[in-house]
Amino acid sequence: MEEEKLQELEQLLAQNGTRAFILLKDGKIALEYYFGNRLAGNQPFQENSAWYWASAGKTLTATLVGIAQEEGQLSLDQPTSEILGSGWSNLPPEKENLIQIRHHLSMTTGLDDGVDNADDYSPENLHYLADPGQRWAYHNAPYTLLDNVLEGATGSDIATYFQQKIGSKIGMTGFWQEIGHNRVFFSDARSMARFGLLVLAEGIWENKEIISDQHYLQAMVTPSQALNKSYGYLWWLNGQERYMLPGIQNPLPGSFIPNGPSDMIWFVAWAGMGNSCVWFLLKSWYWCGWAKIRIKAGSLSGF
């Protein structure tokens, strides 16, 4: 690596408000930078400092739903009401029963996202707008309900289930925090990188299967419906023929990120506390607004 280029990189990161930067080679840290202060107080941001994932945490939820289905605790084709019970929304029973778990994952529940608070998942805030599968809309409330779906199906809250199925197995540290109507995951940059490596390695960690359902893993990062080809199961996809943006119903032609590789998959945190966080995951790149990480599946030692 060229020392002069590294200095330019460090300066660029500092100027753009980056909190953490990690460069990995074959699963090992080759470069690691930290900048600025922690979320609370004036202490410097360091390798053990936590930052919020914002909507990037949707990728964790999607992965946990796949694990729960793999274990036979739920099915994507299962009506949501079978787990949450009737009346979880403000819809007539015949419409409510049409919504399946896969519609929450693909953002196609048909629930009205034009309400005053699109994060509020209380029944009185969930109104009918279209039949499930007929309309795509980036809507946080139906997504957050997947936490309740997981708890109803597995008997564990999302924090406990995550720790059992992913966190403790790959060495992630972090915690879930309720902020308004949202449940947000916080972790250090290294933990975020570990999850990226797990997905890149198709669910394998140190020769152990953490996620065995390869069909689900593939479905998670391929178009989940025809309305927005650039959306999988709570993951954004690049290189598709068209895409839709949150809050806009008209599809736009072309690739979401024209200058990005066509095989790029990522999650976008459209809003956050102070700074937005944008997370990209390709076959070889992983990028976040506070943690920009070059990763390649391989040895996971030395982390």
Side-chain angles (χ1 to χ4, degrees):
M1 292 184 285
E2 299 180 30
E3 185 64 32
E4 182 179 347
K5 296 294 185 182
L6 291 179
Q7 292 176 359
E8 292 177 6
L9 171 64
E10 186 173 4
Q11 183 179 13
L12 176 67
L13 296 171
Q15 289 174 346
N16 284 277
T18 303
R19 283 301 197 283
F21 178 95
I22 301 177
L23 177 70
L24 302 183
K25 171 63 175 175
D26 297 329
K28 299 177 182 179
I29 296 175
L31 272 179
E32 190 171 23
Y33 297 132
Y34 293 94
F35 309 88
N37 294 326
R38 300 184 184 186
L39 276 169
N42 294 318
Q43 294 177 310
F45 197 89
Q46 299 171 328
E47 65 183 54
N48 62 347
S49 301
W51 198 259
Y52 61 98
W53 284 41
S55 280
K58 288 181 170 69
T59 57
L60 297 175
T61 302
T63 305
L64 291 174
V65 170
I67 293 174
Q69 178 174 250
E70 178 186 323
E71 295 179 340
Q73 295 170 316
L74 57 77
S75 167
L76 299 196
D77 298 324
Q78 191 173 8
T80 308
S81 55
E82 285 191 4
I83 297 178
L84 298 185
S86 60
W88 61 267
S89 73
N90 199 32
L91 277 61
E94 65 274 12
K95 294 296 185 181
E96 183 180 87
N97 291 334
L98 294 176
I99 299 176
Q100 301 173 348
I101 294 172
R102 72 170 60 254
H103 296 128
H104 295 259
L105 289 167
S106 59
M107 294 287 183
T108 58
T109 60
L111 294 169
D112 188 359
D113 59 311
V115 292
D116 290 338
N117 188 347
D119 293 341
D120 185 356
Y121 55 90
S122 57
E124 57 271 19
N125 199 54
L126 302 176
H127 304 283
Y128 176 87
L129 189 59
D131 280 357
Q134 300 303 307
R135 182 178 184 272
W136 186 91
Y138 191 83
H139 190 180
N140 262 353
Y143 148 71
T144 304
L145 278 171
L146 285 172
D147 294 359
N148 296 354
V149 168
L150 281 168
E151 183 171 359
T154 67
S156 298
D157 60 71
I158 191 169
T160 302
Y161 195 62
F162 163 77
Q163 186 63 17
Q164 290 175 344
K165 301 302 178 181
I166 298 177
S168 62
K169 294 185 177 182
I170 69 172
M172 288 181 69
T173 59
F175 60 93
W176 295 82
Q177 178 71 45
E178 290 199 19
I179 301 176
H181 294 282
N182 299 308
R183 299 184 183 106
V184 182
F185 188 68
F186 290 69
S187 82
D188 57 33
R190 292 184 178 188
S191 291
M192 201 178 210
R194 285 173 177 266
F195 179 67
L197 286 171
L198 175 68
V199 176
L200 284 180
E202 298 180 339
I204 305 296
W205 188 267
E206 294 183 339
N207 298 318
K208 296 180 181 179
E209 281 191 337
I210 307 301
I211 312 163
S212 301
D213 190 346
Q214 294 300 307
H215 176 75
Y216 180 85
L217 277 175
Q218 184 62 30
M220 186 172 69
V221 294
T222 55
S224 58
Q225 27 64 49
L227 299 166
N228 184 1
K229 291 288 189 70
S230 295
Y231 205 74
Y233 290 151
L234 302 178
W235 288 78
W236 288 90
L237 318 172
N238 209 37
Q240 304 301 316
E241 60 193 56
R242 61 182 182 273
Y243 63 93
M244 293 174 64
L245 294 172
I248 299 175
Q249 282 298 300
N250 296 325
L252 301 173
S255 184
F256 196 102
I257 307 292
N259 293 333
S262 61
D263 63 352
M264 181 168 63
I265 58 174
W266 78 96
F267 206 90
V268 181
W270 295 97
M273 296 178 293
N275 294 324
S276 293
C277 175
V278 184
W279 178 28
F280 295 101
L281 172 61
L282 297 75
K283 291 183 178 178
S284 59
W285 281 91
Y286 173 92
W287 184 97
C288 180
W290 62 277
K292 304 176 184 179
I293 305 163
R294 173 79 162 101
I295 57 179
K296 184 176 181 181
S299 171
L300 303 181
S301 60
F303 224 110

